[in-house]
Amino acid sequence: MSAATASPSAATAAPQTFEIRPFSGAVGAEIIGLDLTRSINDQDFARIHRAHLDHHVVVFRDQQITPQQQIDFSRRFGVLQIHVLKQFLLANHPEILIVSNIIENGQNIGLGDAGKFWHSDLSYKELPSLGSMLHAQELPSEGGDTLFADMHKAWDNLPEALRKAVEGRSAAHSYTARYSETKFEGNWRPTLTPEQLAQVAEVVHPVVRTHPENGRKALFVSEGFTTRIVGLPEDESQQLLTELYAHSVLPQNIYRHQWQPHDLVFWDNRSLIHLAAGCPAHLRRKLYRTTIQGDAPF
């Protein structure tokens, strides 16, 4: 799937001067000098789109944008997905999911425990996410890092025995796979209504997917949402998944993002899995997330 058609104003927008600076480690790049409060012309957008495909996660520094500006920029890449937990959507902006540990009047204002297990956003949907954008609103003075693991590298370097074991196989994904685990104690996790449960029924995707834009293969399983490998006995399935998970998050595959004020981080859920490292509960953390719909994995 290619990026969405630009808005009419983008065609006439003035060019911007910005630098795409790859990180020295496994994955990722930062984009310096771009102002997302301004319209992005087609040529500049093409550079951004290319950087996202090449580096899998791009960090736009110091973006003091409004929720609507985040939504508008996200829509350049495709249709936006609305999260099933509607109680955590930003008022008047349902395209934005609030990710936060802040409690007001005895209730979380946002999803307080997002990302405690490695996962690819919305892999539990028939059309999983192309990518997610997370914009820093309030950051803690310590902790709060986000880790990203390159699943193309994980596949490229998979031992031959594991490669043969998973080629051609599919796996089941479920939003509720770990919903009630004790790792979430202390965070308010609402009981899903029958309507919400219907929106997150189990789906099946290939264990190894092909990226629709760059053509590369990537592992597409995660401890957060993958429940089993279809067609294998339970013990064999779990053993194989455990080995895949361990291999996916080897240090050489990982970029650890240490948040700076007003960072906007945009990652490719077709190429990466990610993990929230967490922060002390008494330190406030709030971010706004938009999620772009992708294609059915193949």
Side-chain angles (χ1 to χ4, degrees):
M1 183 173 72
S2 61
T5 303
S7 62
S9 61
T12 57
Q16 296 194 44
T17 302
F18 60 95
E19 179 185 357
I20 298 168
R21 189 181 300 163
F23 295 129
S24 59
V27 67
E30 60 182 348
I31 295 181
I32 308 295
L34 188 74
D35 181 1
L36 293 178
T37 66
R38 296 168 52 192
S39 291
I40 308 295
N41 70 25
D42 294 347
Q43 292 75 24
D44 287 348
F45 180 78
R47 282 185 69 200
I48 296 164
H49 183 218
R50 185 75 253 166
H52 185 248
L53 293 177
D54 290 345
H55 303 289
H56 315 317
V57 55
V58 288
V59 181
F60 303 90
R61 298 293 190 189
D62 194 28
Q63 298 299 325
Q64 301 193 42
I65 55 174
T66 65
Q68 190 60 53
Q69 287 168 332
Q70 179 178 348
I71 291 166
D72 291 344
F73 180 56
S74 302
R75 281 205 174 111
R76 292 286 292 273
F77 294 90
V79 174
L80 300 191
Q81 295 172 294
I82 308 300
H83 200 276
V84 66
L85 294 180
K86 293 191 168 24
Q87 55 270 63
F88 296 146
L89 303 180
L90 185 64
N92 302 315
H93 295 288
E95 302 89 347
I96 287 182
L97 173 71
I98 303 170
V99 176
S100 181
N101 65 350
I102 299 170
I103 297 174
E104 293 178 355
N105 301 317
Q107 292 191 339
N108 279 64
I109 66 166
L111 188 57
D113 50 32
K116 287 195 173 184
F117 294 95
W118 286 99
H119 67 288
S120 173
D121 286 336
L122 278 63
S123 74
Y124 53 84
K125 303 285 279 185
E126 291 285 353
L127 297 176
S129 167
L130 175 158
S132 302
M133 288 192 196
L134 201 55
H135 187 220
Q137 304 295 312
E138 291 186 59
L139 297 174
S141 55
E142 60 179 279
D145 295 354
T146 305
L147 282 68
F148 298 92
D150 186 335
M151 299 297 270
H152 294 303
K153 287 185 176 178
W155 168 250
D156 291 344
N157 299 316
L158 196 65
E160 192 61 29
L162 280 178
R163 187 178 285 242
K164 287 180 177 176
V166 300
E167 275 189 304
R169 292 204 172 271
S170 297
H173 295 244
S174 171
Y175 177 64
T176 57
R178 294 180 176 270
Y179 200 76
S180 302
E181 297 216 6
T182 55
K183 199 168 187 175
F184 295 122
E185 282 182 8
N187 291 282
W188 182 63
R189 289 178 73 76
T191 301
L192 295 177
T193 66
E195 180 190 10
Q196 287 174 318
L197 284 169
Q199 291 179 47
V200 291
E202 181 182 84
V203 299
V204 172
H205 296 307
V207 172
V208 183
R209 71 176 297 178
T210 301
H211 195 293
E213 294 189 78
N214 66 27
R216 294 180 63 192
K217 289 186 174 182
L219 283 178
F220 194 59
V221 292
S222 70
E223 62 175 2
F225 296 136
T226 306
T227 56
R228 60 192 168 86
I229 294 180
V230 176
L232 290 183
E234 176 67 17
D235 58 343
E236 192 176 333
S237 169
Q238 290 309 312
Q239 176 61 34
L240 186 52
L241 286 172
T242 298
E243 292 181 42
L244 293 175
Y245 299 157
H247 175 78
S248 298
V249 297
L250 294 172
Q252 60 264 33
N253 296 339
I254 290 176
Y255 162 63
R256 185 182 190 106
H257 183 66
Q258 297 177 308
W259 290 84
Q260 297 178 20
H262 310 296
D263 273 353
L264 176 70
V265 178
F266 178 30
W267 65 89
D268 193 329
N269 282 303
R270 305 162 297 184
S271 299
L272 307 174
I273 54 175
H274 60 284
L275 175 78
C279 69
H282 68 282
L283 298 177
R284 291 169 63 99
R285 183 175 187 263
K286 182 171 73 170
L287 306 101
Y288 288 167
R289 191 184 94 184
T290 44
T291 311
I292 299 123
Q293 182 173 285
D295 299 312
F298 61 92

